[in-house]
Amino acid sequence: ANTEVVYMLSIARQSQGDIAEATSLMIKASEMEPDNANVFHALGTLYMAAHAIEDARSAYLKALQCDPFHVDSHNGVAYVELVAGNYTAVERAANLALTEDPRNVQALVYLGTAKLEQDDNTKAVSYLQEAHKEDPAHTSAQMQLGRAFLASSNASFAMQCFQNVIRENANSGIAWEYMGTAQYASGYLKEASESFRQAITLGRSQPDTLKKLAEIESALGNADQAEEILQAANTEAALSGANTAIVQAELLIAKGNPGGALALLEKFQGPKYEGVIVVKARAHELLRQHAEALDCLEPVISSGKASDEAQYAYARLLAKSGREQEADHLIDGLLEQEHPPMFARVFRGLQLCRIDDE
């Protein structure tokens, strides 16, 4: 396969949410064409999706070695440094992007955000207003400008910015969360509670978000609700850590280190961490430790609440271990669903092909 085919296949895997496979393919593309800045930039973006900051920084810098004027890679470095909290480095990278493209909106947003994180709210508002002027529809510019107004104690302007974002994307959980924060700062407690609840419905269930909602409910006099929300926040804190670890473990697997993935996930035990268990089972499988992989999944399967993905993983391992009848029983159950999952249909199709070959 040529580099372009591998590159496009990686992009396709990324669009399907398979970051590990997408990363593995993009690494292959970079090895096939080590002087292609676009490939290294794409690899950096995949590493960032997996929270692998050092790998992302390295990939973006390699892109810039290939092409020192690659604006997207300067912005990539700025993003890495922003996540890492190196705000001086953010400014340096963003300014290099602006040297090549003085009206680059993303670079202006990174520059303004860096100033905001350093409490230089006046400059933050200035850069972000410039970005917004260049592209009024740029969601990130609107969002960060709202944050800058909020930090400048201008909650009413902040609400306008967040409302604009929500108008364009009503499913943005983080926009609803910021809107709730601005409403709370303005004393609109009931509206703030509604916005935070909407944010949580849209996936913004991080512990800090839940704690802020509990604080608002307490201010509204809803002590029992506040206590329930605080308990949920404590549970979510554990699950949030697991989700981050899953992404990092999948990256280790993609880089050929299943043992490292197992070590990373070791502290997460019990059926409630099903996502972790599925990844651990895959790591054991890659190490040819099929018995250990089955042992991982057994408690989840026995609970009667296993997801389709966990059941499929277990069935596949059963088949590899010579327990075909048990595997067939699980696959039969998946295929009896009103909308059978594609992986179960493919599994059964491959079984039938093997039978025909025999």
Side-chain angles (χ1 to χ4, degrees):
N2 61 37
T3 306
E4 185 178 0
V5 170
V6 176
Y7 177 90
M8 294 307 299
L9 186 57
S10 172
I11 298 300
R13 291 288 184 269
Q14 182 183 14
S15 69
Q16 295 165 357
D18 192 345
I19 300 299
E21 178 64 13
T23 304
S24 180
L25 287 165
M26 199 62 75
I27 290 172
K28 183 177 178 180
S30 71
E31 291 169 348
M32 295 170 68
E33 201 163 316
D35 58 351
N36 190 320
N38 291 327
V39 169
F40 280 109
H41 172 263
L43 180 58
T45 302
L46 285 165
Y47 279 136
M48 283 305 293
H51 309 287
I53 292 177
E54 292 303 324
D55 288 326
R57 181 188 286 112
S58 176
Y60 288 135
L61 290 175
K62 285 179 181 176
L64 290 169
Q65 287 176 0
C66 300
D67 179 2
F69 309 107
H70 200 269
V71 173
D72 287 343
S73 293
H74 283 302
N75 277 333
V77 173
Y79 181 44
V80 168
E81 301 300 354
L82 187 62
V83 172
N86 301 324
Y87 302 122
T88 301
V90 175
E91 293 180 34
R92 182 166 56 249
N95 278 317
L96 285 170
L98 290 168
T99 298
E100 299 304 317
D101 180 5
R103 302 173 65 180
N104 188 276
V105 174
Q106 194 59 64
L108 288 168
V109 170
Y110 287 143
L111 200 51
T113 304
K115 292 298 184 185
L116 177 60
E117 297 299 337
Q118 296 173 91
D119 298 321
D120 191 345
N121 299 330
T122 301
K123 286 187 178 179
V125 168
S126 177
Y127 283 124
L128 292 164
Q129 283 182 323
E130 187 177 349
H132 176 53
K133 181 181 177 181
E134 289 292 337
D135 185 359
H138 197 282
T139 301
S140 184
Q142 284 267 22
M143 193 90 78
Q144 297 305 321
L145 181 57
R147 288 186 61 221
F149 280 135
L150 195 56
S152 303
S153 301
N154 195 336
S156 60
F157 277 14
M159 283 190 287
Q160 290 177 26
C161 290
F162 300 137
Q163 186 59 57
N164 289 338
V165 175
I166 290 168
R167 189 178 296 115
E168 292 297 320
N169 183 9
N171 293 322
S172 172
I174 192 169
W176 281 106
E177 182 176 347
Y178 283 138
M179 174 62 88
T181 303
Q183 289 167 330
Y184 186 31
S186 298
Y188 300 123
L189 300 185
K190 184 178 178 181
E191 292 82 355
S193 173
E194 292 172 353
S195 292
F196 268 97
R197 289 182 184 278
Q198 182 67 14
I200 291 166
T201 299
L202 293 168
R204 294 292 296 178
S205 56
Q206 290 87 341
D208 287 347
T209 306
L210 292 168
K211 288 175 183 177
K212 182 62 73 173
L213 176 58
E215 183 181 327
I216 293 168
E217 292 299 339
S218 180
L220 284 166
N222 301 325
D224 290 343
Q225 287 188 37
E227 181 61 31
E228 289 178 8
I229 294 165
L230 283 174
Q231 290 176 2
N234 292 331
T235 300
E236 187 61 34
L239 294 175
S240 178
N243 290 335
T244 299
I246 286 171
V247 175
Q248 294 170 337
E250 288 181 333
L251 178 62
L252 287 170
I253 289 172
K255 296 170 73 175
N257 185 9
L262 287 172
L264 180 65
L265 299 174
E266 181 59 34
K267 65 180 179 180
F268 301 102
Q269 301 290 336
K272 71 177 181 179
Y273 296 117
E274 184 191 286
V276 169
I277 290 169
V278 170
V279 177
K280 287 171 73 173
R282 187 159 74 249
H284 278 302
E285 182 182 358
L286 290 169
L287 292 168
R288 303 183 184 279
Q289 299 169 347
H290 294 161
E292 289 86 346
L294 287 167
D295 288 344
C296 269
L297 287 165
E298 175 61 36
V300 175
I301 302 300
S302 299
S303 72
K305 300 178 180 178
S307 67
D308 290 350
E309 182 184 5
Q311 291 183 64
Y312 169 68
Y314 194 63
R316 214 164 34 75
L317 286 163
L318 287 171
K320 281 192 172 185
S321 302
R323 296 162 62 181
E324 286 85 357
Q325 287 187 342
E326 293 172 77
D328 284 344
H329 178 71
L330 276 174
I331 295 298
D332 286 343
L334 292 172
L335 291 173
E336 287 170 3
Q337 296 179 15
E338 183 178 356
H339 301 290
M342 178 61 72
F343 45 70
R345 292 157 60 188
V346 170
F347 184 90
R348 180 52 49 83
L350 290 173
Q351 281 183 314
L352 294 173
C353 287
R354 283 194 291 271
I355 292 171
D356 288 343
D357 289 341
E358 293 171 0

